Amino acid sequence: MTKRAYKYRFYPTPEQADRLARTFGCMRFVYNSVLRWRTDAFFKEQQRVGYTQASARLTAIKKLPETAFLNEVSSVPLQQCLRHQQAAFKNFFEGRAKYPAFKSKKHRQSAEFTRSAFRYRDGKRFLAKCDEPLAIRWNRPLPCDPSTVTVSKDSAGRYFVSCLCEFEPEALPVTPKMIGIDLGLKDLFVTSEGERTGNPRHMAQYAARLALAQRRLSRKKLSSKNRLKARLKVARIHAKISDCRMDRLHKLSRRLINENQVVCVESLAVKNMIRNPKLSKAIADAGWGEFVRQLEYKGGWAGRQVVQIDRWYPSSKRCACCGHILERLPLDVRRWSCPECGSEHDRDVNAAINVKAVGLAVLALGENVSGMGQVPVSSAR
Ligand SMILES: [Zn+2]
């Protein structure tokens, strides 16, 4: 059993929007004031505050007359945000993250409701202290009763519920097909079979509109109504770009996983080694990281193998036919012919074929692959 989040858009009534805005506001207040208190304890008195103490602090704050407004919203999200803060501190103390930051009103807001804080009646979902059900667009059915419901509002002003459900992944029937892919910019990826995906460059497509909206925003008077409206416009363009990108990545990763038993890909650590500062915007726009993440989890659910090649390996410069390795191959050379065996190569397809060969060798032989240099692999499942 794994857990999976099902996310739906919903349209709150004015009362619900108001109630949610207050919930988000109270959470921010609790999060930030407890964070300030913990920060003082940590830096002035060198004391680490645990979750129990933070929770006790919340109880104390709620009893104060000047902060009695905290009692008007459901207590569960307030408690949950301190749990998240605890996780943030844990990540900080264990060296995985920076020191927890204060929450801002301008960013995405979210509130987590556990099972005790929402109801499900006649196919309708109710949140604690809300009388009307949420108007959710059920674009797909929910498989079971969720254990947690997260309500969020993004910076473009859209509302979503994300329901965390138990889910039994179903392995797809085994297929003999195996594939190597070379992630790139001109095409999101090129396969060892010569298929090219193209790259719509969503960011570049909306760049002019975004620049215009940002220019207009910068001219608006600080903290005015018009500035708020202009900021929403900018956020909507950003949301549009990221929606387009995600939609495409999901479709492509789903197809690769459905069609192939094994997908071999160079890990991003390797890809980043060749990262060029001039291209970093384009790389971020292409969404390599998200794409590999999707391949991994979808592969895991479907019983497919996603092999990530972790060690640098001359995939572009090696001839896939005879193994000859070129001294150098500048980035602008898209086609080349091998001086040893005379084969004509497309740069990316040749690289993808090499990635596939290394990936399959890694799968068959385990850690070390003779004749190909040392190619340890981390996440071959
Ligand atoms: Zn050759």
Side-chain angles (χ1 to χ4, degrees):
M1 276 284 195
T2 22
K3 291 209 167 182
R4 180 178 181 179
Y6 291 77
K7 193 175 174 185
Y8 306 92
R9 187 156 181 192
F10 77 98
Y11 300 87
T13 61
E15 295 83 50
Q16 285 169 341
D18 179 62
R19 169 79 63 185
L20 281 171
R22 272 197 283 162
T23 305
F24 294 144
C26 289
M27 285 173 65
R28 222 167 33 237
F29 178 84
V30 167
Y31 191 96
N32 288 345
S33 61
V34 173
L35 178 58
R36 196 173 302 116
W37 176 67
R38 289 175 95 152
T39 304
D40 285 347
F42 180 60
F43 287 105
K44 288 186 188 151
E45 291 149 42
Q46 278 76 43
Q47 264 185 10
R48 284 192 190 185
V49 174
Y51 173 71
T52 326
Q53 287 158 284
S55 186
R57 174 87 184 171
L58 170 61
T59 316
I61 295 175
K62 282 176 99 172
K63 281 184 187 140
L64 297 175
E66 64 267 31
T67 48
F69 60 87
L70 295 176
N71 296 299
E72 290 169 19
V73 302
S74 166
S75 62
V76 176
L78 302 183
Q79 208 99 65
Q80 289 301 102
C81 84
L82 288 184
R83 271 183 220 282
H84 291 160
Q85 189 176 77
Q86 185 62 29
F89 268 100
K90 191 162 181 281
N91 286 338
F92 167 69
F93 286 128
E94 291 172 10
R96 283 187 300 267
K98 287 192 203 161
Y99 193 80
F102 288 106
K103 292 239 181 275
S104 152
K105 197 177 175 179
K106 288 178 191 167
H107 297 137
R108 176 180 177 270
Q109 310 284 319
S110 73
E112 202 176 293
F113 294 85
T114 52
R115 198 164 288 199
S116 60
F118 60 83
R119 281 172 300 137
Y120 191 68
R121 205 177 58 213
D122 313 328
K124 289 177 179 132
R125 200 154 292 279
F126 297 82
L127 291 175
K129 303 206 178 183
C130 280
D131 298 328
E132 274 191 86
L134 295 179
I136 299 174
R137 274 188 76 117
W138 298 104
N139 55 328
R140 65 165 121 180
L142 206 57
C144 63
D145 219 17
S147 56
T148 311
V149 171
T150 304
V151 180
S152 62
K153 182 188 180 195
D154 69 6
S155 49
R158 301 179 298 180
Y159 290 84
F160 298 94
V161 273
S162 179
C163 308
L164 199 62
C165 295
E166 292 274 341
F167 133 98
E168 192 69 74
E170 246 176 77
L172 290 169
V174 175
T175 146
K177 276 188 77 182
M178 297 181 254
I179 208 164
I181 61 170
D182 180 51
L183 296 173
L185 295 180
K186 200 159 148 275
D187 300 277
L188 174 68
F189 62 83
V190 174
T191 70
S192 51
E193 287 161 6
E195 190 205 328
R196 295 174 178 280
T197 58
N199 185 354
R201 301 204 184 203
H202 298 111
M203 191 81 182
Q205 212 177 314
Y206 285 96
R209 265 169 71 184
L210 189 60
L212 180 68
Q214 272 163 340
R215 212 154 46 234
R216 283 186 179 151
L217 167 65
S218 70
R219 289 192 193 125
K220 298 287 183 284
K221 205 172 144 200
L222 279 179
S223 61
S224 64
K225 273 250 166 81
N226 281 332
R227 190 180 179 87
L228 192 76
K229 278 188 242 165
R231 196 174 69 214
L232 260 177
K233 265 198 179 133
V234 171
R236 282 205 193 103
I237 299 175
H238 276 300
K240 180 81 192 160
I241 294 169
S242 96
D243 286 357
C244 289
R245 184 187 299 142
M246 283 301 261
D247 178 57
R248 192 176 125 82
L249 293 181
H250 273 299
K251 282 174 181 157
L252 288 171
S253 60
R254 171 50 61 204
R255 187 159 61 81
L256 274 183
I257 291 297
N258 280 358
E259 290 174 0
N260 301 283
Q261 190 64 31
V262 178
V263 179
C264 308
V265 58
E266 273 178 313
S267 82
L268 293 175
V270 173
K271 276 282 167 194
N272 285 341
M273 275 167 45
I274 52 159
R275 179 176 276 192
N276 172 338
K278 279 186 195 158
L279 293 180
S280 59
K281 205 172 184 178
I283 291 175
D285 191 20
W288 289 351
E290 174 61 22
F291 184 66
V292 172
R293 190 189 73 84
Q294 291 178 3
L295 281 181
E296 284 259 296
Y297 82 77
K298 289 180 186 176
W301 287 346
R304 307 297 207 208
Q305 273 171 314
V306 176
V307 183
Q308 285 201 48
I309 298 156
D310 248 13
R311 184 66 70 83
W312 186 79
Y313 170 81
S315 53
S316 303
K317 290 191 276 189
R318 181 183 179 274
C319 168
C321 301
C322 70
H324 177 75
I325 296 172
L326 294 180
E327 292 253 314
R328 56 188 293 275
L329 182 66
L331 262 176
D332 55 333
V333 179
R334 308 313 304 175
R335 303 193 67 85
W336 55 283
S337 56
C338 174
E340 279 294 310
C341 68
S343 331
E344 288 283 326
H345 289 305
D346 174 283
R347 182 199 182 94
D348 304 322
V349 177
N350 177 63
I353 295 172
N354 280 325
V355 166
K356 178 181 174 185
V358 180
L360 295 187
V362 163
L363 262 192
L365 301 173
E367 292 280 302
N368 293 328
V369 186
S370 58
M372 287 183 161
Q374 297 243 305
V375 194
V377 92
S378 67
S379 40
R381 276 181 305 186

CSV table of all heavy atoms in Angstrom, one decimal, residues 319 321-322 324 338 340-341 343, ligand 1:
chain,number,residue,atom,x,y,z
A,319,CYS,N,31.2,6.3,-29.9
A,319,CYS,CA,30.4,5.7,-31.1
A,319,CYS,C,29.7,4.5,-30.6
A,319,CYS,O,30.2,3.6,-30.0
A,319,CYS,CB,31.4,5.3,-32.2
A,319,CYS,SG,30.7,4.3,-33.5
A,321,CYS,N,28.4,2.2,-32.3
A,321,CYS,CA,28.7,1.0,-33.1
A,321,CYS,C,30.0,0.3,-32.7
A,321,CYS,O,30.0,-0.9,-32.5
A,321,CYS,CB,28.7,1.3,-34.6
A,321,CYS,SG,27.2,2.1,-35.2
A,322,CYS,N,31.1,1.0,-32.6
A,322,CYS,CA,32.3,0.4,-32.4
A,322,CYS,C,33.0,0.7,-31.1
A,322,CYS,O,34.0,0.1,-30.7
A,322,CYS,CB,33.3,0.7,-33.5
A,322,CYS,SG,33.9,2.4,-33.5
A,324,HIS,N,34.4,3.6,-30.3
A,324,HIS,CA,35.5,4.6,-30.4
A,324,HIS,C,35.0,5.9,-29.6
A,324,HIS,O,33.9,6.3,-29.8
A,324,HIS,CB,35.8,4.9,-31.9
A,324,HIS,CG,36.8,6.0,-32.1
A,324,HIS,ND1,38.1,5.8,-31.9
A,324,HIS,CD2,36.6,7.3,-32.4
A,324,HIS,CE1,38.7,6.9,-32.1
A,324,HIS,NE2,37.8,7.9,-32.5
A,338,CYS,N,31.9,8.5,-37.5
A,338,CYS,CA,33.0,7.9,-36.7
A,338,CYS,C,34.2,7.7,-37.5
A,338,CYS,O,34.2,7.0,-38.6
A,338,CYS,CB,32.5,6.6,-36.1
A,338,CYS,SG,33.7,5.6,-35.2
A,340,GLU,N,36.6,5.7,-36.9
A,340,GLU,CA,37.0,4.3,-36.9
A,340,GLU,C,36.2,3.4,-37.8
A,340,GLU,O,36.8,2.7,-38.7
A,340,GLU,CB,36.9,3.8,-35.4
A,340,GLU,CG,38.0,4.1,-34.5
A,340,GLU,CD,39.3,3.5,-34.9
A,340,GLU,OE1,39.3,2.2,-35.1
A,340,GLU,OE2,40.3,4.2,-34.9
A,341,CYS,N,34.9,3.5,-37.7
A,341,CYS,CA,34.1,2.5,-38.4
A,341,CYS,C,33.2,3.2,-39.5
A,341,CYS,O,32.6,2.6,-40.3
A,341,CYS,CB,33.1,1.7,-37.5
A,341,CYS,SG,31.9,2.7,-36.7
A,343,SER,N,30.5,5.0,-39.2
A,343,SER,CA,29.0,5.1,-39.0
A,343,SER,C,28.7,6.6,-38.9
A,343,SER,O,29.4,7.4,-38.3
A,343,SER,CB,28.6,4.4,-37.8
A,343,SER,OG,29.4,3.3,-37.5
B,1,ZN,ZN,32.5,3.8,-34.8
